[in-house]
Amino acid sequence: MRATRMIWMFVALAASLGSVNYIAAQKADATRNSERDRFAVNESETAGIHEVIPKKYERRYQEWKTEFLSTDIGRAQWDMYAKHPRLALTITISGSNSKGAGSGKYKWNDAGELVAATITLGSQIDRGFPSSVYYPVMNALEPFESTKLIGGSVLAATKLAHEFGHVMRISSTPQSLYNLQVQMVPAYNKIFLSNGHNVNDPQLVEMAKKMGGNPVEIWEDREYWGEANAMLFLKDRVEREKFHCRLFARIKQAVEEYAKDYEQRFAEIAKEQGAIYTCGWR
Ligand SMILES: [Zn+2]
């Protein structure tokens, strides 16, 4: 297995792994689904991955998951959560926000370690490209999908990777900071809307300092962590495809245009595999 340093950097981000409990998370035997789902609900607090997939979405989910697991990085990240000593990661599918996905329902233990998280995938995440402003990686896939160079399941697996990126990032965010942000962002926005949209208002400057940035900065930082992991997945997925440099050029262009402050995060992923694969990233 070509385990690059970057894979392990991301793996290490999520948790310091102690002794682990292996859960065979990849059994896709349809006849066992109802039993597994029942267990997923009953044991939702147990460490490992809990797939709570409505029957009607089971087939497409397996396709997306297979696509994710077709890469080294996808398997490494999946295994990390399947064997995780503390974190119960629930993955589910919902018909609302069908082309999007989200992460949440975070819980921490008394030691401040993340012990629960839920990734909710839309039921049609194999379609729909979010804007390049905040989603330079997922958006970059569009022309390759429309010309059939990649299928919808690659887009879906990229969205799953984006959500894994969120969960990994949250694992290294102190609970106190996360709670402070959840608490302060609405208050910040209320002031912002009433002061003539003045971010230099001393009260807002003080609040932003406390919560690690203004609400937009906090949000974009989170989204770009999701995108960085999406890029890590795609890099593995398309490395042998003729179009991989064209895809990376599109990502680079969007990052330079809209995410200049975060360029380093993406450049490191592009450069990880050695000069031959940098595709213009320096
Ligand atoms: Zn996101």
Side-chain angles (χ1 to χ4, degrees):
M1 177 176 137
R2 184 184 46 75
T4 65
R5 186 160 51 87
M6 186 59 70
I7 290 177
W8 298 113
M9 187 192 93
F10 269 72
V11 167
L13 259 180
S16 47
L17 287 165
S19 63
V20 292
N21 233 340
Y22 188 70
I23 294 174
Q26 296 171 33
K27 289 218 168 74
D29 184 352
T31 60
R32 296 181 55 193
N33 286 344
S34 58
E35 191 185 7
R36 190 186 57 198
D37 288 355
R38 183 167 56 78
F39 270 94
V41 173
N42 290 345
E43 299 179 359
S44 60
E45 300 304 310
T46 316
I49 294 177
H50 303 274
E51 297 161 287
V52 184
I53 310 299
K55 194 108 195 125
K56 59 180 171 180
Y57 301 135
E58 179 65 32
R59 220 177 108 189
R60 67 185 77 173
Y61 172 71
Q62 290 303 337
E63 262 173 47
W64 303 340
K65 179 179 161 185
T66 301
E67 187 71 61
F68 185 66
L69 295 177
S70 72
T71 60
D72 287 348
I73 186 70
R75 283 192 301 275
Q77 294 186 349
W78 187 276
D79 270 6
M80 175 186 69
Y81 286 119
K83 300 171 185 175
H84 201 285
R86 289 178 303 277
L87 180 68
L89 175 62
T90 301
I91 301 177
T92 189
I93 294 191
S94 155
S96 59
N97 185 20
S98 65
K99 290 169 188 156
S103 302
K105 297 187 184 168
Y106 303 124
K107 280 186 201 157
W108 287 263
N109 63 15
D110 292 341
E113 296 159 328
L114 191 70
V115 291
T118 295
I119 290 175
T120 305
L121 305 172
S123 56
Q124 298 183 75
I125 51 166
D126 52 351
R127 285 186 249 168
F129 298 88
S131 147
S132 59
V133 178
Y134 289 114
Y135 303 99
V137 178
M138 294 193 278
N139 180 275
L141 286 170
E142 188 165 17
F144 303 97
E145 210 253 353
S146 61
T147 53
K148 308 240 182 314
L149 284 168
I150 59 152
S153 62
V154 175
L155 174 62
T158 306
K159 289 179 183 176
L160 178 59
H162 176 102
E163 297 309 319
F164 266 66
H166 282 314
V167 174
M168 282 188 269
R169 189 62 188 164
I170 271 295
S171 303
S172 62
T173 304
Q175 180 187 7
S176 54
L177 177 61
Y178 181 78
N179 288 345
L180 189 69
Q181 290 172 346
V182 168
Q183 201 183 5
M184 279 179 98
V185 164
Y188 182 106
N189 288 338
K190 206 173 160 191
I191 297 170
F192 177 72
L193 292 173
S194 65
N195 75 357
H197 300 176
N198 177 17
V199 289
N200 297 320
D201 181 325
Q203 206 183 347
L204 293 189
V205 170
E206 188 56 32
M207 287 171 93
K209 216 163 100 185
K210 271 192 194 146
M211 59 180 177
N214 68 40
V216 170
E217 289 164 341
I218 292 168
W219 186 76
E220 68 185 12
D221 180 59
R222 278 188 203 154
E223 290 313 316
Y224 291 138
W225 276 117
E227 286 296 271
N229 200 51
M231 183 174 173
L232 201 57
F233 162 75
L234 273 184
K235 191 171 163 166
D236 256 14
R237 177 59 185 77
V238 306
E239 69 176 343
R240 286 181 198 88
E241 307 279 1
K242 280 199 181 108
F243 61 84
H244 81 268
C245 271
R246 269 191 292 144
L247 173 66
F248 274 68
R250 265 183 71 84
I251 296 173
K252 187 173 196 289
Q253 191 187 353
V255 166
E256 280 176 354
E257 202 162 336
Y258 304 113
K260 197 75 189 159
D261 291 349
Y262 300 86
E263 195 176 6
Q264 191 60 24
R265 194 178 293 183
F266 295 96
E268 282 187 8
I269 294 168
K271 287 189 288 194
E272 182 58 30
Q273 215 153 349
I276 195 167
Y277 288 119
T278 60
C279 302
W281 292 76
R282 293 284 174 267

